[in-house]
Amino acid sequence: MVDKQGASNIYCYSSFLEKEKRFIVHKNCGRIRNYFAALSKPEGFENWVIAKVEIKAAVTADELDSDVSSNEINVQIKKKKKNYALIIVEDNIVSFEVYLIRIMNKSNDRFNTSSSESGKKNKADFLQYLSDENMFLDNTISFNKDEITEFVCDVGDGNPIHRTENAVVPGLLMFDGLLELYSVLSCEIKYILPVFEGEKIEIYRKADGLEAWIWRDADKKDAGYVKVFETKY
């Protein structure tokens, strides 16, 4: 999410109506990133991250991008507790339900990776898992520092974990990358572990969606695969 100053970094020239928490979408901006920029506007979420996003749409991502009409995007903080929040971003075409969690202190700009060992599988166990679940490798993606920087500036995301050395890849940037591969807009995406700049994400297809895995700690005895996010259609 962003700090107050982050609003000035949006390149797509959306007009923010402060009083009513609304955006007017303009023709000269990638449509999907307008929704991401709208999500970045509510204040008080500088040290929160996205845990899950549920998207409902009557169109595909390609159809959305080809629609050049102007549209109003509404942003609503539906629920906010100490370490959990739900924000709704929607217009008359697409609805995003974004579930956020707070995972670190305000003074800390580094991502908590203490749970990174959870669910790690060695190669043999991972191959058996793929066989048992009838999954196959479908794509690989990765994001470098420049791509992360461009994205957070485009959408006004000022979260410090995306701007440090070995930056965390924004969850919505990964979703943006998936849309380029699959163009399926209506889905649920659950983020499990952080992904860092330059890491190769292996995308495995299954019957009802996708799973994303990374081979980690290749130079260590406890090297293994960890699941970083999954989608359901």
Side-chain angles (χ1 to χ4, degrees):
M1 308 306 291
V2 300
D3 54 22
K4 194 169 183 180
Q5 186 178 2
S8 64
N9 291 328
I10 301 176
Y11 296 159
C12 55
Y13 309 110
S14 292
S15 302
F16 181 53
L17 308 182
E18 180 66 37
K19 184 176 179 181
E20 298 183 30
K21 300 295 183 186
R22 295 183 299 155
F23 279 83
I24 302 299
V25 179
H26 295 280
K27 297 178 183 180
N28 60 345
C29 179
R31 287 297 296 270
I32 196 66
R33 289 198 178 185
N34 279 288
Y35 299 99
F36 301 161
L39 175 63
S40 295
K41 288 301 159 286
E43 298 179 13
F45 293 96
E46 291 83 358
N47 293 289
W48 295 60
V49 294
I50 297 174
K52 185 174 72 171
V53 182
E54 296 180 6
I55 307 102
K56 298 176 183 178
V59 297
T60 66
D62 289 340
E63 290 169 337
L64 182 67
D65 275 340
S66 65
D67 183 353
V68 297
S69 61
S70 294
N71 228 14
E72 181 182 289
I73 298 177
N74 299 294
V75 185
Q76 179 185 7
I77 301 175
K78 192 75 173 179
K79 185 182 300 183
K80 185 177 182 183
K81 297 184 181 292
K82 183 178 180 180
N83 296 309
Y84 166 84
L86 169 61
I87 297 179
I88 308 295
V89 178
E90 62 184 355
D91 59 11
N92 63 337
I93 301 174
V94 183
S95 172
F96 289 79
E97 293 188 2
V98 184
Y99 297 82
L100 302 166
I101 56 173
R102 193 207 311 261
I103 60 168
M104 57 188 179
N105 297 326
K106 286 188 176 181
S107 60
N108 187 2
D109 65 353
R110 298 194 63 82
F111 203 100
N112 179 7
T113 59
S114 61
S115 62
S116 63
E117 300 300 313
S118 176
K120 182 181 284 188
K121 298 180 184 295
N122 61 37
K123 285 187 178 180
D125 289 343
F126 183 64
L127 291 174
Q128 185 61 52
Y129 172 77
L130 294 180
S131 177
D132 292 343
E133 298 296 322
N134 195 27
M135 299 189 339
F136 62 90
L137 180 63
D138 199 41
N139 271 298
T140 61
I141 56 175
S142 65
F143 302 91
N144 61 36
K145 173 76 80 176
D146 289 343
E147 290 169 321
I148 295 170
T149 300
E150 177 186 12
F151 179 83
V152 298
C153 288
D154 274 354
V155 304
D157 188 338
N159 194 324
I161 64 174
H162 307 314
R163 300 172 183 271
T164 60
E165 185 179 354
N166 196 27
V168 173
V169 180
L172 292 177
L173 175 55
M174 290 187 281
F175 178 63
D176 198 37
L178 287 181
L179 291 179
E180 292 185 12
L181 297 173
Y182 299 101
S183 190
V184 178
L185 194 52
S186 292
C187 67
E188 174 186 305
I189 180 166
K190 179 181 179 183
Y191 298 97
I192 301 166
L193 289 174
V195 175
F196 298 94
E197 63 180 83
E199 287 193 303
K200 184 174 75 172
I201 308 167
E202 298 181 1
I203 309 296
Y204 292 85
R205 185 182 288 272
K206 56 183 180 179
D208 61 347
L210 305 167
E211 288 189 8
W213 291 77
I214 288 176
W215 175 255
R216 259 194 193 144
D217 300 321
D219 58 341
K220 300 179 181 178
K221 291 183 178 180
D222 62 344
Y225 280 95
V226 293
K227 181 161 63 172
V228 291
F229 66 82
E230 61 185 1
T231 71
K232 292 184 179 180
Y233 297 132

